Amino acid sequence: DQQVKQNSPSLSVQEGRISILNCDYTNSMFDYFLWYKKYPAEGPTFLISISSIKDKNEDGRFTVFLNKSAKHLSLHIVPSQPGDSAVYFCAASAEYNFNKFYFGSGTKLNVKP
Amino acid sequence: DTGVSQDPRHKITKRGQNVTFRCDPISEHNRLYWYRQTLGQGPEFLTYFQNEAQLEKSRLLSDRFSAERPKGSFSTLEIQRTEQGDSAMYLCASRSIQGSYNEQFFGPGTRLTVL
């Protein structure tokens, strides 16, 4: 039962342009969302998070948008850089069990120079 | 480096053998998590500890799997009688005690290959 879905396995973007990675979830109890970045042979690295009381959180080139009614969140990277090339995972948790993170299957981003 | 460490990084074993992995969390983190990641999928929750207490186990964690955190610091994950379907990346993560809205920090993982 995949409660967090990333429907795009891959995305290719030109350097300097915007990258938009999407994530959908089904559990309306989810109230905390995170994005992780993963390079080959490394563990996932935390990138940015958002709680359900907000609809936007920004950190430098990275912005996460949350649309609770649509159960959808997105990660925007502006401008994209070749070093951003990695697999990006969306994750979610619920207050009633905040120790359990549910991950999507990931989107592999390729930023072309 | 005070991040999460895991040992070994790679393990190749034959079907039916037992394997044990170790995780050392960030020192001040009292919560420790184990995940499994297979090809093309995101990490799947297996179990977590608060200090030395194992508080939740996923149904993915069959009776061949056992995890311990005896002194509330490092943790071990043992798989008995390994099967080819156990081949995966096993990730460990830790998290601080401060609140519920914070991230988990992941180690580099142990890649298990069962022949």
Side-chain angles (χ1 to χ4, degrees), chain A residues 1 31 50 58 84 88 94:
Chain A
D1 179 22
D31 62 354
I50 188 168
E58 193 171 353
D84 296 329
Y88 289 79

Side-chain angles (χ1 to χ4, degrees), chain B:
Chain B
D1 184 12
T2 57
V4 178
S5 61
Q6 292 186 246
D7 183 69
R9 295 290 305 274
H10 304 274
K11 179 70 177 179
I12 299 173
T13 191
K14 292 182 179 179
R15 188 176 54 187
Q17 298 294 305
N18 299 345
V19 295
T20 300
F21 310 141
R22 176 181 170 124
C23 170
D24 287 89
I26 294 171
S27 58
E28 63 269 24
H29 288 183
N30 71 331
R31 298 173 189 160
L32 185 147
Y33 306 82
W34 285 99
Y35 289 84
R36 182 176 69 184
Q37 184 180 12
T38 53
L39 197 62
Q41 300 298 316
E44 294 177 285
F45 172 85
L46 291 178
T47 188
Y48 97 92
F49 292 83
Q50 182 159 314
N51 300 313
E52 64 275 8
Q54 187 174 19
L55 296 185
E56 185 169 351
K57 292 195 294 186
S58 164
R59 56 186 167 81
L60 291 175
L61 213 66
S62 76
D63 56 6
R64 297 184 297 105
F65 288 70
S66 62
E68 293 183 342
R69 195 183 183 197
K71 298 181 180 178
S73 57
F74 73 92
S75 175
T76 58
L77 177 68
E78 181 182 17
I79 309 174
Q80 295 182 327
R81 306 180 303 281
T82 53
E83 302 173 356
Q84 288 184 326
D86 297 331
S87 295
M89 175 74 84
Y90 290 84
L91 293 162
C92 175
S94 70
R95 190 183 201 181
S96 76
I97 194 173
Q98 304 296 331
S100 57
Y101 293 117
N102 54 23
E103 67 271 24
Q104 296 178 13
F105 292 83
F106 282 84
T110 294
R111 180 167 295 283
L112 172 66
T113 301
V114 181
L115 302 175

Side-chain angles (χ1 to χ4, degrees), chain A residues 64-80:
Chain A
V64 56
F65 296 91
L66 175 62
N67 183 333
K68 290 185 290 292
S69 60
K71 296 191 181 69
H72 176 84
L73 65 155
S74 61
L75 174 69
H76 292 210
I77 306 173
V78 182
S80 302

